[in-house]
Amino acid sequence: MVYAVIMAGGSGTRFWPASRKQSPKQLLSIDGQQTLLEAAVARLDNLVACTDTLVVTNHRLVAAVRELLPDLPRTAILGEPAKRDTTACIALAAGLLNMRDSAATMLVMPADHLIKPIEDFQHAVKQGIQLVNTDPNRLVTFGIKPSYAAESFGYIRQGNSISTAENQGNDTAFEVHEFCEKPDQTTARRYLEHGGYYWNSGIFIWRTTTILKAIEENDPALMEHINVICNAYESPEFEEIFQREFSAIKGRSIDYTVLETHDNVVVIPTAFEWNDVGSWQSIESLFPVDENNNTIISKHVYVKSTNNVVWTSEDHLVATVGIHNCIIVHTANATLIANKDDEESVREVVTIIESLGWESFL
């Protein structure tokens, strides 16, 4: 049986001030239609049943997620008591699913990506499922063909191709030669020119038994906490045990814990369009630009202003004069004005606000 795990616990700090603790990026409607989380669930239509889907979020968002996803059972939405990165999230989900079905195949995907068309996404997932069925010890990831020399993504370098007997039609897959950390600009350009590197999408398929074994081998201390939590599931003491044991985990990414050293990882080059909506500049591809290369979401007038991203509400006008290469985001109680070339520093702004104790702005 195939199950889906949607990781929905991120804080989206680079998307501040639109993204806040109580309404992070995955709960926002970036394109004016569904929220990113709703779109992630809709992507599973006719692929994974709602009853076989698990959304892992943080404890503050459980009520909001349940309201947003009424078709999912209450038990399908799990709130982490503390932020402990992707290894803990995946281990917890895999442990719970493995108790339910020891032969479970597990699709893992972030809640805050935009992917289209759905048909291409589902085709790639089915290919991944087939690769895992052929070799249950495999860990399958999905690579995005780079469209520019991005410094904000990790990369996957392809190795030898998987035998055509395991693929159907024009499908291709490769052994993973190596996972690469986020590069500098020079290295990113080299990856782009090489042609054998992909952006790491953070989407995976594997058997629950395989990933649990791999985590156990690489971080046995983490798995001790996860096993205690899973053994207490549905007991009267579960919430207390969950809080205590999960909070004691040392957070690490699944790439670092498992994927970078595992000897049987496969990458599927994808055909679908992918946007991780990881920054304000990433939304430029989602909206039309005007004759001066300004990306405008809602009301804006300008004089001698070029190459800006402006986000505001329908009832608030932003006017710019002589402004170039900036990000301007207006919300009800906070406004961001940033140079595009220094967008990564938005996280520093959030850190400063935290240090000041200004919780109403976070």
Side-chain angles (χ1 to χ4, degrees), residues 155 163 253-254:
Y155 285 72
S163 65
S253 74
I254 195 67

Side-chain angles (χ1 to χ4, degrees), residues 34 74 92 131 176 185 187 211 251 267:
Q34 295 173 304
R74 288 179 61 85
L92 175 63
L131 288 170
V176 170
Q185 184 61 33
T187 304
I211 194 63
V267 58

Side-chain angles (χ1 to χ4, degrees), residues 40-59:
V41 173
R43 207 171 293 137
L44 300 172
D45 283 353
N46 301 315
L47 183 69
V48 179
C50 286
T51 52
D52 298 327
T53 299
L54 178 63
V55 177
V56 184
T57 185
N58 72 61
H59 66 99

Side-chain angles (χ1 to χ4, degrees), residues 8-236:
S11 55
T13 52
R14 285 190 296 167
F15 225 67
W16 184 89
S19 179
R20 308 288 184 97
K21 285 184 177 179
Q22 295 303 322
S23 57
K25 183 178 62 171
Q26 60 270 26
L27 301 189
L28 299 179
S29 174
I30 303 300
D31 59 2
Q33 300 177 30
Q34 295 173 304
T35 65
L36 293 175
L37 177 55
E38 286 175 301
V41 173
R43 207 171 293 137
L44 300 172
D45 283 353
N46 301 315
L47 183 69
V48 179
C50 286
T51 52
D52 298 327
T53 299
L54 178 63
V55 177
V56 184
T57 185
N58 72 61
H59 66 99
R60 292 188 306 270
L61 299 177
V62 169
V65 171
R66 282 178 175 157
E67 184 177 352
L68 200 62
L69 304 174
D71 292 337
L72 264 63
R74 288 179 61 85
T75 55
I77 299 165
L78 188 64
E80 296 174 332
K83 184 178 179 180
R84 291 297 181 265
D85 219 322
T86 52
T87 301
C89 174
I90 288 168
L92 175 63
L96 293 175
L97 290 176
N98 198 60
M99 291 171 60
R100 176 176 170 182
D101 179 357
S102 61
T105 295
M106 174 179 173
L107 164 65
V108 180
M109 60 188 209
D112 55 359
H113 293 178
L114 283 172
I115 293 174
K116 62 180 183 180
I118 289 177
E119 293 78 13
D120 286 354
F121 170 79
Q122 293 196 356
H123 179 87
V125 169
K126 290 173 182 176
Q127 182 189 354
I129 293 168
Q130 178 60 40
L131 288 170
V132 169
N133 287 342
T134 303
D135 181 357
N137 293 315
R138 275 192 181 124
L139 306 178
V140 175
T141 185
F142 297 82
I144 310 298
K145 194 69 175 175
S147 56
Y148 64 98
E151 302 171 64
S152 55
F153 302 134
Y155 285 72
I156 300 170
R157 182 182 176 186
Q158 72 179 44
N160 296 325
S161 62
I162 302 298
S163 65
T164 54
E166 295 188 52
N167 290 300
Q168 298 179 355
N170 296 321
D171 292 339
T172 57
F174 299 90
E175 297 173 355
V176 170
H177 182 76
E178 65 176 333
F179 285 84
C180 307
E181 298 295 328
K182 295 175 182 178
D184 57 26
Q185 184 61 33
T186 300
T187 304
R189 282 198 297 268
R190 179 168 59 82
Y191 291 167
L192 183 65
E193 293 166 1
H194 183 280
Y197 289 82
Y198 302 91
W199 292 334
N200 185 353
S201 68
I203 304 170
F204 313 106
I205 296 179
W206 42 51
R207 290 283 171 87
T208 52
T209 50
T210 302
I211 194 63
L212 288 170
K213 179 182 177 183
I215 296 172
E216 173 77 42
E217 291 172 349
N218 289 281
D219 196 341
L222 181 148
M223 281 307 305
E224 285 184 18
H225 295 294
I226 293 296
N227 288 334
V228 172
I229 294 168
C230 291
N231 290 335
Y233 190 63
E234 295 185 334
S235 74

